[in-house]
Amino acid sequence: MRIIKLILISFIILCNSALAAEPQIEIKTNFGSIYLELYPKKAPNTVKNFLNYVQEEAYTDTIFHRVISGFMIQGGGFDKFMKKKPTKKPVKNEADNGIKNEIGTIAMARTGEPHSATNQFFINVGNNKFLNYTMPNRRGYGYTVFGKVVRGMNIVNKISEMPTGATKPFRKDVPKKMVIIESITMIDSISEQTESIK
């Protein structure tokens, strides 16, 4: 009887863990895969916005168009021909959620307007304190972190160290070798197999 009870308790714990699991994402690039865990409880509007683009396959064949070593890699907004992708309505800034722009976190890119984030995102490769929320004004809103890299940071670092230059419409920071986002998809779980680096 005690064994059955222990089995039932273990089953309940496993079920609760599965239900509590955060959304898992794979960003498949031509350099390898980057795996993310998202935080819908901390940034509900931002995660919903990002997943809407994911579900519509809007990120397929886009690129990481802005890469700065020691800072971040940015993508999701341009296709392989440097044509800007269509966007949805901007999402409300949620940078006051307590999550910092630290190494390996993913955040939404935006213009100088705090509530202007749409489809572009970036992955931090440095601890970028100056991007964090400080106060609710134009200068202090910060950039909303909504997840983190859980596997594939070696791919992120490889991309961040690539040589860059000018490619219209940008005057600098565009990787000389194109970094293609082949797809972004939701996955059930992150496997333990090691992804290859091309």
Side-chain angles (χ1 to χ4, degrees), residues 156-173:
V156 175
N157 288 330
K158 185 179 178 70
I159 294 168
S160 75
E161 292 162 6
M162 293 182 66
T164 61
T167 301
K168 289 184 178 180
F170 302 103
R171 295 180 180 179
K172 60 179 181 176
D173 302 325

Side-chain angles (χ1 to χ4, degrees), residues 87-107:
T87 62
K88 301 178 185 296
K89 183 180 177 182
V91 66
K92 183 181 177 183
N93 190 305
E94 297 176 304
D96 61 345
N97 59 15
I99 313 175
K100 308 299 184 186
N101 281 276
E102 297 174 337
I103 294 172
T105 55
I106 182 171

